[in-house]
């Protein structure tokens, strides 16, 4: 009897060990092997790391970068079943940093010494004004993501001016974006040595764009549209791709204008048009001394899609703002100040503009759109009430004593009778950015404006829209492209800043 009991106990013990062994090899066991903290895994983010495990985490994993210099710890918890790679962000340059990972109750700590960053990037920049209050996301604060100079990377600064993110990808930052519960950035390919696309903050690419891109990208449902180039017309095309990077549409702004002409009624418009639009799309290549030359005649720089109306709003830096029936690819209206005089030949070869095309007169937005309209604008913004805002650089001249501004218009009417009323304006005559700028809406109720005067050096200004009280003022010693205010990690239910569209964000 004792022998039989011993045999039963032995079999039971072997069965228990076998079960425990199988559990240990399961992809969802919280008692799996401890993972590894890898610093700068893709070679472009020295202030970031990744925690990698062999199996999918069955228990939550919390990553922490300890704060220094009075800055908070940056902490994020990944839920059970998240995966095998866990981004870690928020270290400081020129500092000894501490990373802590809580993996199912097991604490893994790594001390990381980070040296200086390239191109003279500082550990801290002086903040002139900081009237921002703390919010409930103290350990996942918003940073000001800034594109550095001309293709020198992306910087993430705290409200106190500390550098807590850096990406050395040679890029113009298009925008920081929340996509499928992750923080990613869109990158343009202009001037850089990488392919344009959608990237994780660690620098690994999610989607590659099939053509050269410029300035702006927006999402429409599961697709993306971005501004692109023709060979001889430069920044005068729009491309729509699916989430695999396959081209669905390739559209021409030159053809859009050409198809709006009434040459039967205004035959003279044909010759005028040939002094405005150039490129193979409109069979009009500019010739200089017998040589073909590419012309940046349109310079599209901002996109908004109103899905409720199927209207695409586009900013052409050299020509004005356009509303387009996206499905039909037909012009609805265009708007520019009556005094617009983009410099010749610096930007365009002839002193000829949309106003010189008689066929476009009935499409023109008058009222404030003409009498107090935009010049060389960027960063369109569609408000919830349908009013159209923008950063109006007023930049058709090298100098402008009136400065640049943020302005909103209410546009009404129908074909032949479009008019605009100015409903809001913020202007500081001491701040002028001839080229490049950005506008975001921030705050829990989108009550604040984030304005970026980007050229010749970066001046970031965040203010309460209604009272115009300055909340943050930060000047940086380099030119930028645009600035976004976003956290390093996604939080469910959090209100994120909006880059272009509050009416029906995509």
């Amino acid at each position: 009897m004792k022998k039989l009991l011993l045999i039963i106990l032995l079999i039971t013990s072997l069965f228990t060990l076998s079960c425990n062994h199988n559990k240990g090899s399961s992809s969802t066991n919280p008692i799996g092997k401890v993972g590894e903290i890898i610093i700068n895994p893709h070679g472009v983010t020295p202030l970031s790391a990744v925690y990698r495990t062999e199996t999918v985490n069955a228990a939550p994993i919390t990553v922490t970068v300890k704060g220094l210099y009075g800055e908070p710890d940056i902490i994020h918890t990944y839920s059970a079943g998240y995966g095998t790679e866990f981004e870690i962000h928020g270290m400081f340059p020129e500092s000894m940093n501490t990373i802590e990972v809580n993996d199912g109750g097991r604490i893994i700590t790594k001390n990381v010494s980070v040296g200086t960053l390239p191109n003279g990037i500082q550990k801290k920049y002086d903040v002139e004004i900081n009237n921002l209050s703390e919010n409930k996301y103290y350990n996942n604060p918003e940073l000001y993501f800034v594109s550095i100079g001309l293709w020198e990377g992306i910087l993430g600064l705290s409200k106190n001016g500390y550098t807590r993110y850096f990406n050395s990808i040679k890029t113009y930052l298009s925008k920081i974006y929340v996509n499928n519960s992750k923080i990613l950035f869109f990158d343009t390919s202009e001037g850089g040595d990488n392919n344009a696309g959608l990237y994780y903050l660690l620098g690994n690419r999610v989607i590659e764009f099939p053509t050269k891109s410029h300035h702006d990208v927006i999402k429409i449902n599961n697709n993306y549209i971005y501004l692109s180039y023709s060979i001889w017309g430069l920044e005068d095309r729009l491309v729509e791709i699916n989430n695999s990077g396959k081209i669905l549409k390739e559209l021409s702004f030159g053809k859009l204008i050409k198809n709006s002409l009434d040459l039967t009624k205004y035959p003279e418009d044909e010759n005028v048009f040939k002094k405005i639009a150039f490129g193979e799309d409109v069979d009009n290549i500019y010739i200089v001394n017998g040589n073909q030359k590419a012309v940046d005649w349109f310079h599209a720089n901002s996109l908004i899609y109103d899905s409720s109306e199927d209207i695409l709003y586009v900013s052409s830096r050299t020509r004005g703002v356009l509303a387009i029936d996206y499905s039909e690819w037909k012009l609805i209206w265009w708007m520019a100040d009556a005094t617009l005089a983009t410099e010749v030949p610096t930007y365009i070869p002839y002193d000829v503009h949309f106003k010189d095309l008689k066929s476009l007169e009935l499409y023109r937005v008058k009222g404030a759109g003409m009498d107090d309209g935009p010049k060389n604008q960027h960063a369109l913004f569609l408000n919830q009430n349908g009013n159209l805002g923008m950063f109006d650089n007023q930049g058709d001249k090298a100098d402008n004593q009136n400065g640049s501004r943020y302005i909103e218009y209410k546009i009404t009417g129908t074909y032949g009778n479009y008019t605009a009323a100015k409903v809001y304006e913020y202007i500081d005559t001491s701040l002028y950015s001839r080229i490049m700028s950005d506008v975001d809406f921030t705050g829990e109720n989108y009550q604040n404006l984030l304005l970026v005067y980007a050229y010749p050096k970066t001046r970031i200004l965040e203010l309460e829209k209604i009272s115009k009280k300055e909340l943050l003022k930060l000047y940086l010693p380099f030119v930028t492209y645009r600035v976004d205010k976003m956290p390093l990690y996604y939080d469910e239910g959090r209100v994120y800043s909006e880059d272009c569209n509050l009416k029906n964000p995509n």
Side-chain angles (χ1 to χ4, degrees), residues 424-427 463-471:
Y424 180 87
E425 180 183 60
Y426 174 82
I427 188 165
L463 64 143
E464 292 178 351
K465 183 182 178 185
I466 301 302
S467 69
K468 299 183 180 178
K469 175 187 175 182
E470 293 180 340
L471 300 175

Side-chain angles (χ1 to χ4, degrees), residues 177 179-180 207 218-225 240-245 248 506:
Y177 189 80
N179 193 23
N180 296 328
I207 299 173
I218 58 175
K219 190 175 182 182
I220 299 180
N221 299 320
N222 291 320
N223 297 334
Y224 301 89
I225 61 175
E240 180 174 346
I241 61 173
N242 63 17
N243 57 14
S244 299
L248 304 177
N506 298 298

